[in-house]
Each structure stands twice: as structure tokens, then as C-alpha cells.
Amino acid sequence: PLAIISPVRDEAQFIRNTLNAMVVQTVRPREWLFVDDGSTDGSLEVLQRYQNADNRIRIVSRENRGLIATLNEGITLAKGDLIARMDADDISYPSRFSRQVALFARQPQLAISGTGIDQLLGNRVVRGRPNPIYQTGDWHILSMFFTIFLHSTVMYNRNVIPEDMLVYDAGYVHAEDFDLFGRI
């Protein structure tokens, strides 16, 4: 089963769009866990309204501890073999999760999957373009030099990644994803 974790810190102006994007997903997650990291802008109230309408939404709210602690708490609490990351200000295409879940079904030995992105600038969608280096480069070597996945698009496979490895290192502030992806 799929679980989605979303760290939240003062995202009230965006989180409704993120939650509405979940409704149209072609694969329904078992749970969507929001870890509220001490929001002060009404984010928690928005989440609670949606939780009342959808019992798959789970909320953990506590004082601010920072992104890395929030992500680690989400991974620890999530109930699913596949753990998807989605930031509280992101919108996913309806097929995002179904495509990633299908990839893991076809290749159960995979540990991690990421997606490309398009950017929403006002009312305009700017299509992302794959970097040609991904077609020809060795991903193991590339991952030593830069983050090969956009952090909020990844899905982790707990059946492949050891539990003690699927932890963000607090020593890598602003590079926690680079460190984790490299270890995986």
C-alpha cells in the first residue's frame, strides 16, 4: 500500500490546491500523513477540515523542529510499503502515483523513483525538459555530484531500502535529500 508524507510549515495559501489534487489521483493512497511543523498561519485548520471529509488524511501537529525532523517523523509513522513525498505546496498530475506504483510493480527491486516536473507560473504551465545527461550518464556516478531526483517527487520502496537507511541525516541541512539518495 501507498502512503504519502507531506511536511507542512505555514502553507495555508497553497495546501487546498495540494489536497484537491489528491482527490483526482488514479491511485488512492492508503494514507496521507501531514506532519505540521508548528504552523502559525491556519494550515492546521485547513488540514482538519479536509480530514473530516477523508479518513485517509492523518495529521500530526507539534512545535517547530525543522524539515529533517519532520520528514523522519513522517517516514517513521507512515503505514505503507511505498512512501511518496509530496510537499504541501505541490500539485501532482492525476497519474503521478499510479505511474510510480506501476513502476515498482514491474520492477520490485527498485528502491526509489522520481518524476520530472512542470512549473506553474501564474496560470501558465511551463513544461519541464529532461536533461540529456540522464539518458547517457551512469546514475551512480551522477548521484555523487548532484541530486538526480527532485525531492518532492520521490517514492521510496520500504521492501528494498533497509529501515535504518531510510532516515534523513540532520547533519546535511539543505542537502538531506542528496545524502539520502546517495546512500540509497
Side-chain angles (χ1 to χ4, degrees):
L2 170 64
I4 303 168
I5 59 170
S6 294
V8 179
R9 173 77 177 152
D10 293 336
E11 298 290 352
Q13 73 181 46
F14 300 111
I15 203 161
R16 286 176 191 83
N17 292 331
T18 303
L19 287 156
N20 289 334
M22 183 179 108
V23 175
V24 298
Q25 288 296 313
T26 55
V27 162
R28 309 277 289 177
R30 174 183 186 175
E31 74 171 341
W32 194 351
L33 177 60
F34 290 89
V35 182
D36 181 65
D37 191 32
S39 291
T40 59
D41 71 342
S43 294
L44 184 58
E45 291 78 12
V46 173
L47 287 170
Q48 288 168 337
R49 281 195 300 276
Y50 277 82
Q51 183 183 41
N52 290 337
D54 191 331
N55 64 359
R56 292 170 302 148
I57 294 174
R58 208 168 93 178
I59 304 166
V60 173
S61 181
R62 44 133 175 94
E63 75 284 348
N64 177 255
R65 293 186 202 152
L67 178 62
I68 295 171
T70 301
L71 290 171
N72 284 333
E73 187 172 357
I75 288 171
T76 299
L77 295 173
K79 297 176 180 137
D81 295 328
L82 298 175
I83 306 294
R85 276 272 291 109
M86 186 166 169
D87 285 338
D89 63 349
D90 289 344
I91 301 170
S92 288
Y93 285 109
S95 62
R96 174 202 165 181
F97 298 121
S98 64
R99 292 177 70 185
Q100 286 181 291
V101 167
L103 177 65
F104 285 111
R106 286 190 312 273
Q107 299 182 43
Q109 77 284 4
L110 288 179
I112 187 172
S113 164
T115 72
I117 64 160
D118 294 334
Q119 292 183 328
L120 184 60
L121 301 175
N123 291 329
R124 191 173 61 115
V125 174
V126 178
R127 299 280 177 204
R129 298 186 192 270
N131 188 324
I133 198 167
Y134 292 133
Q135 300 299 317
T136 58
D138 180 325
W139 284 40
H140 292 99
I141 293 171
L142 293 174
S143 69
M144 291 189 294
F145 298 100
F146 62 94
T147 304
I148 59 174
F149 297 112
L150 185 63
H151 195 193
S152 64
T153 73
V154 298
M155 188 178 287
Y156 301 112
N157 184 349
R158 278 186 160 158
N159 295 317
V160 174
I161 304 171
E163 186 177 334
D164 62 342
M165 181 184 287
L166 190 53
V167 175
Y168 292 93
D169 185 334
Y172 286 89
V173 177
H174 306 298
E176 69 282 348
D177 52 346
F178 176 78
D179 169 66
L180 180 58
F181 300 166
R183 287 185 284 120
I184 290 172

